[in-house]
Amino acid sequence: MPPPVRHHLPAVWAAAVTTAACPPAGFAAVAVTTAATIVRRSRFLPPLRPCTRVVTCRGLASSSNVALTADRNPNLKRGGFARIQQSDIDAFRSILSSAGASAVLVDEDDVAPFNEDWQKKFRGSSTLVLKPKTTEQVSAILKYCNDKHLAVVPQGGNTGLVGGSVPVFDEIVLSTSSMNAIESFDEVSGILTCQAGCILEVLDKWLAEKGFMMPLDLGAKGSCQIGGNVSTNAGGLRLLRYGSLHGTVLSMEVVTADGTVMKLGQPLRKDNTGYDLKHLFIGAEGTLGVVTSVSILTPRRPSSVNVAVLAVDDFTKVLEVFSKAKSQLNEILSAFEFWDAKAARLLLKHIKSARDPFNQEGSAPQTQPFYVLIETAGSNDEHDSEKLSKFLEALFERGVVVNGVLAENDTEMSAMWALRESITEACAKDGLGGNLKYDLSVPVTELYKCVEDMNARLEKAGLYGPESGRDGQVLGFGHMGDGNLHLNITGAAWDPAVLDTVEPFLYEWAPYIGYSKSEECVKAMKALKSAWDPKGILNPYKFLPL
């Protein structure tokens, strides 16, 4: 079976849509390494700039310097969809008459930010953006588009890294950004029901006032929307503790291609009646229907949180730290992230405010082979701090880690997290652009081997490495909790030689559709797509092999 067309470019073939990094925060730390120092304390200068994502991903790229996705993929042909006429625009204005003057965008400058992604990698040629406020309006829009055979791309915060929410050709963009109402919250069960366009960070802050939190956290939390999170099955930084959206999403409301509104399940912890259809829409990336409302189980916000960053010499030590953290920190372990030295160097190179936590102030920049970020979350600060201190002490005594810093306050915790969350931005700025990103889920023990194998393959071909003359890196970072690696090949600049060396080698190395899914399984997926979207108007050219 040929490799699938995944999010426009075969070069960006990923199992899940990852999200954009949060704006970097000011970070500086001094760690004094002495034999007697077990738990290092960090000092941060200058003060942290809060990571509120007031600057969204929109507007970071200009259509003047982003190649059209269709032009870069000449073998990908436009489907037999109708083209937008003035009568269609008039019809949409009638449908959205109560949604405000900005609900129908046709001006080129207004439409441009919706046509491209923030990394300057993908650009479509849509001439129309629709911004409904209600499920009924979404239903009317899709019914009209289905009747007229007009293609539609659902778009949330547009924070993805693989172009899943960006038009390929001239599809209509259906933006959920105006669907941002919180519908209900049960403070006994912690069940939140909200519209799909609610921004993740806004929800988290709203819940914080009630002593709860969202069960997922992403670098793009200030821009990404919960409907997009659900549609991409976003994992993020809290998956280790709270699980995936398949476990926390209790019910949802979706609109299928013909305008049918379906309420999938009830906002209950347990519902054994009939097929649990919501799971088909979690991770379907808008190809089966548009998510308009979500009921999600939210956990209590922990009152005791600790964050530490550790330096280790090799990836086997990263695995050892992870294994010991799961056994010794167990019920309070909430996050375990890692990144390599190349990612650390890109942070120092491209993120102005980034500082390596183990460098003395004023000293020459140095990086460690691997970095580990550990977060614990519980309800008893004395218990949690003591448990973490004993854990770190044992790691140092056995030589598993070579250095570490432990945040002393919320500002320092945010600064540590900002390092991890800014790696994506640093990668996007490296070399001549054309950063290739792959989001892989593989056994934890094999996680970094993918980076090593890919680096060796590209160096052997003379395309990367010190002798290649290329300003680019092959690096890895990600979530240990769910075996999720973010493989980045920076500075590829859409070089065909690089693409041909990476693919299909990576398809065969990692489990993806067409390689991990049987022919019967892919056939069943296509049957589902045909059943709910027989005309193929929803997010065409993506997700499934053509």
Side-chain angles (χ1 to χ4, degrees), residues 280-295:
L280 293 175
F281 291 83
I282 298 174
E285 301 187 27
T287 59
L288 298 179
V290 177
V291 176
T292 56
S293 178
V294 175
S295 292

Side-chain angles (χ1 to χ4, degrees), residues 58-69 71-72 107-126 166:
R58 298 199 189 284
L60 293 182
S62 168
S63 60
S64 62
N65 58 6
V66 183
L68 286 170
T69 301
D71 289 346
R72 205 157 52 221
D107 182 81
E108 184 177 353
D109 290 339
D110 293 336
V111 173
F114 297 85
N115 256 325
E116 56 197 51
D117 76 314
W118 73 276
Q119 286 202 117
K120 303 183 180 183
K121 290 170 62 178
F122 306 100
R123 181 163 69 97
S125 52
S126 178
V166 180

Side-chain angles (χ1 to χ4, degrees), residues 57 63 71 112 171 198 205 282 314 320 342 346 404 428 521 533:
C57 291
S63 60
D71 289 346
E171 303 90 86
C198 289
K205 288 184 176 181
I282 298 174
D314 55 56
E320 186 174 352
K342 291 181 179 179
L346 290 191
C521 183
D533 182 18

Side-chain angles (χ1 to χ4, degrees), residues 273-467:
T273 56
Y275 298 118
D276 200 346
L277 296 177
K278 69 176 182 289
H279 291 294
L280 293 175
F281 291 83
I282 298 174
E285 301 187 27
T287 59
L288 298 179
V290 177
V291 176
T292 56
S293 178
V294 175
S295 292
I296 189 167
L297 183 65
T298 66
R300 281 281 181 180
R301 186 171 291 269
S303 57
S304 168
V305 178
N306 292 286
V307 177
V309 175
L310 309 176
V312 297
D313 285 334
D314 55 56
F315 192 69
T316 59
K317 296 290 180 62
V318 174
L319 293 173
E320 186 174 352
V321 175
F322 181 53
S323 177
K324 294 184 182 303
K326 288 196 298 180
S327 63
Q328 297 177 27
L329 299 177
N330 195 5
E331 78 282 0
I332 63 172
L333 182 63
S334 59
F336 193 107
E337 303 287 309
F338 87 95
W339 61 94
D340 62 14
K342 291 181 179 179
R345 284 195 286 271
L346 290 191
L347 282 168
L348 298 179
K349 180 179 179 181
H350 297 298
I351 305 301
K352 184 177 180 181
S353 55
R355 301 290 185 275
D356 190 286
F358 306 115
N359 283 347
Q360 294 280 354
E361 188 174 1
S363 65
Q366 298 181 18
T367 56
Q368 309 297 319
F370 286 92
Y371 296 73
V372 167
L373 185 150
I374 295 176
E375 181 186 81
T376 64
S379 59
N380 187 317
D381 187 61
E382 183 178 353
H383 166 270
D384 297 351
S385 296
E386 181 180 1
K387 196 164 189 175
L388 179 59
S389 294
K390 288 183 178 179
F391 167 73
L392 295 175
E393 181 177 353
L395 292 180
F396 281 109
E397 286 179 348
R398 289 193 290 268
V400 180
V401 301
V402 296
N403 210 337
V405 292
L406 179 64
E408 293 184 309
N409 51 52
D410 290 345
T411 298
E412 295 179 359
M413 291 182 203
S414 296
M416 288 181 176
W417 271 115
L419 278 179
R420 164 62 182 83
E421 293 176 343
S422 296
I423 296 173
T424 296
E425 183 179 353
C427 290
K429 293 179 177 180
D430 196 43
L432 297 176
N435 179 30
L436 303 183
K437 305 187 71 67
Y438 300 89
D439 195 337
L440 305 100
S441 293
V442 295
V444 173
T445 54
E446 301 294 314
L447 208 59
Y448 200 71
K449 189 175 187 303
C450 177
V451 181
E452 295 171 333
D453 289 354
M454 184 57 68
N455 187 66
R457 181 175 175 85
L458 288 167
E459 284 197 6
K460 183 178 180 180
L463 297 169
Y464 277 76
E467 305 300 323

Side-chain angles (χ1 to χ4, degrees), residues 198-267:
C198 289
I199 293 173
L200 180 60
E201 187 175 46
V202 173
L203 292 175
D204 197 57
K205 288 184 176 181
W206 188 87
L207 288 168
E209 297 177 357
K210 303 178 183 301
F212 289 80
M213 63 189 287
M214 290 298 287
L216 73 160
D217 185 22
L218 308 170
K221 54 183 171 284
S223 298
C224 67
Q225 299 173 12
I226 189 63
N229 299 151
V230 170
S231 295
T232 59
N233 192 22
L237 310 171
R238 293 176 181 164
L239 188 142
L240 175 62
R241 177 68 172 271
Y242 300 109
S244 77
L245 290 172
H246 280 287
T248 54
V249 172
L250 303 180
S251 65
M252 67 174 71
E253 183 180 70
V254 302
V255 182
T256 56
D258 64 357
T260 299
V261 178
M262 292 200 301
K263 295 184 182 297
L264 305 179
Q266 300 293 329

Side-chain angles (χ1 to χ4, degrees), residues 510-532:
Y512 284 125
I513 291 177
Y515 289 84
S516 67
K517 299 294 188 293
S518 68
E519 185 176 345
E520 293 76 16
C521 183
V522 174
K523 184 183 295 184
M525 292 181 187
K526 290 183 176 182
L528 286 170
K529 170 71 171 174
S530 296
W532 270 317

Side-chain angles (χ1 to χ4, degrees), residues 136-208:
E136 293 71 26
Q137 290 172 347
V138 174
S139 174
I141 289 169
L142 292 186
K143 184 180 186 307
Y144 182 93
C145 290
N146 194 60
D147 291 343
K148 297 290 186 177
H149 206 202
L150 293 165
V152 178
V153 173
Q155 187 177 106
N158 198 18
T159 59
L161 303 179
V162 293
S165 63
V166 180
V168 180
F169 294 98
D170 56 350
E171 303 90 86
I172 296 169
V173 176
L174 195 161
S175 170
T176 57
S177 59
S178 295
M179 303 181 69
N180 54 13
I182 295 175
E183 298 173 347
S184 67
F185 180 64
D186 185 333
E187 295 195 33
V188 177
S189 64
I191 297 174
L192 171 75
T193 301
C194 63
Q195 286 186 302
C198 289
I199 293 173
L200 180 60
E201 187 175 46
V202 173
L203 292 175
D204 197 57
K205 288 184 176 181
W206 188 87
L207 288 168

